[in-house]
Amino acid sequence: MEKNSSIYVAGYYGMVGSSIVRKLKDEGYVNVFGYPSPQLDLMCDKAVENMFKDRRPEYVFLAAAKVGGIYANIHYPAEFIFNNLKIQTNVIQASYLYGVKKLLFLGSSCIYPRLCPQPMKEARLLTGSLEETNQYYATAKIAGIKMCQAYNKQYGTHFISCMPTNLYGPNDNYDSFNSHVIPALIKRFHDAKTKNLQEVVVWGTGKIRREFLFVDDLAEACLFLMNRYNDNEIINVGTGYDITIQELASMIKEVVGYSGRLVFDHEKPDGPPRKLLDIRKIKKLGWIHKTSLKEGLEITYSDFQKRLG
């Protein structure tokens, strides 16, 4: 990309999109744009097509999606598959119609089979059954990957797909029911500290393992891939390290400064036993994450406190 290239970030105001925007502007890209949801409904094909016709972006980062944690995925499966299919289909189709030079589609590590051998290699896609709790979101993301590959094959487009691991960072969603594990625990521990509660309940056994990537590291990886990666196959983006949910909860407890006890609710679902990405492919290209989990959590909690006013 040239510094004056027209760059559209779908999901401009979300956690991932806003981080990509910050990174692009920090690197000197001067023609970066996006729209809040009320201004541009990405589920409306005509609205998306009209925007592309008017603005003619040269490059697209497709970071817009309906996302949520395990509670939201269980309770709103229709919304997760319908909304995501609509959003990505509209943006990918418009990118083809209006000659976008390159598009980066952001998938998710949940595309891999529930019992996928660890760490999860890119070649493991579609080799087993998906995790039941988020299968509808994962199915939509797989459709986005295949759509990019199909357009490349038939139309000669340059649409690439990266699969980030579990993300966290500034501008996350802290809703009690729809958030992912890190923002949910940050809010829970903060509320417990503020109200002097004796304990904090964490869903599941605490024994499952998860990998976490700070969102600004992902943004750097996205820019890296947009400029250097042209393969039709997917590529993983992660840290190469994972921890148990119990270890994560203890770390967040320390960052927040909560002194009560942890209680794990074994009646609540755990999800897959482990999710660790094989990141040898992107490391071989020359990218590696920079932010430790502890440092990232401290930055994220500071952002949470600022948002409280």
Side-chain angles (χ1 to χ4, degrees), residues 282-299:
I282 194 169
K283 284 181 70 176
K284 190 174 181 180
L285 293 176
W287 181 87
I288 190 168
H289 78 288
K290 296 177 179 177
T291 311
S292 70
L293 181 57
K294 182 71 176 295
E295 179 187 358
L297 290 174
E298 289 170 346
I299 296 170

Side-chain angles (χ1 to χ4, degrees), residues 39-254:
Q39 192 173 341
L40 176 63
D41 181 4
L42 293 179
M43 292 181 62
C44 176
D45 54 351
K46 289 298 181 184
V48 174
E49 188 173 331
N50 287 339
M51 185 280 288
F52 271 77
K53 184 177 181 180
D54 179 53
R55 296 297 301 265
R56 300 284 175 153
E58 298 172 83
Y59 299 91
V60 173
F61 290 86
L62 181 39
K66 178 177 177 59
V67 298
I70 192 167
Y71 178 93
N73 274 275
I74 290 172
H75 288 84
Y76 310 113
E79 292 178 30
F80 272 89
I81 193 166
F82 179 78
N83 291 24
N84 285 300
L85 285 172
K86 288 281 286 184
I87 290 168
Q88 63 202 35
T89 297
N90 289 340
V91 174
I92 292 170
Q93 171 71 357
S95 295
Y96 156 65
L97 290 175
Y98 292 95
V100 165
K101 293 179 181 179
K102 195 170 183 179
L103 175 145
L104 172 63
F105 173 70
L106 281 101
S108 167
S109 60
C110 71
I111 63 164
Y112 293 112
R114 182 180 188 276
L115 299 178
C116 189
Q118 304 291 316
M120 301 182 289
K121 299 178 181 179
E122 288 90 348
R124 293 291 182 178
L125 177 63
L126 296 176
T127 58
S129 300
L130 298 169
E131 160 61 25
E132 184 177 355
T133 56
N134 59 19
Q135 62 178 311
Y136 302 101
Y137 175 75
T139 299
K141 286 297 183 181
I142 292 170
I145 293 166
K146 291 302 178 182
M147 188 172 182
C148 287
Q149 292 174 340
Y151 276 52
N152 292 342
K153 182 177 181 180
Q154 184 170 344
Y155 302 131
T157 52
H158 297 283
F159 297 165
I160 62 173
S161 301
C162 73
M163 302 301 116
T165 191
N166 301 290
L167 301 170
Y168 70 99
N171 204 23
D172 208 336
N173 171 24
Y174 295 94
D175 181 88
S176 299
F177 295 103
N178 295 328
S179 59
H180 289 105
V181 61
I182 286 181
L185 289 178
I186 285 176
K187 185 177 188 305
R188 205 170 298 169
F189 281 117
H190 179 85
D191 290 347
K193 176 185 174 182
T194 303
K195 299 173 183 177
N196 294 314
L197 300 180
Q198 296 295 310
E199 63 182 36
V200 167
V201 178
V202 181
W203 276 31
T205 63
K207 297 179 180 179
I208 62 168
R209 303 186 68 88
R210 289 292 181 269
E211 175 186 22
F212 297 96
L213 178 68
F214 188 57
V215 70
D216 287 357
D217 286 341
L218 172 66
E220 185 179 88
C222 287
L223 181 55
F224 176 90
L225 292 170
M226 185 65 95
N227 282 322
R228 304 190 190 189
Y229 187 72
N230 293 294
D231 200 308
N232 194 42
E233 298 305 316
I234 62 177
I235 185 166
N236 291 335
V237 183
T239 65
Y241 304 97
D242 62 1
I243 63 171
T244 67
I245 295 299
Q246 183 171 359
E247 291 170 329
L248 174 69
S250 297
M251 192 179 294
I252 294 175
K253 175 185 174 183
E254 179 183 345

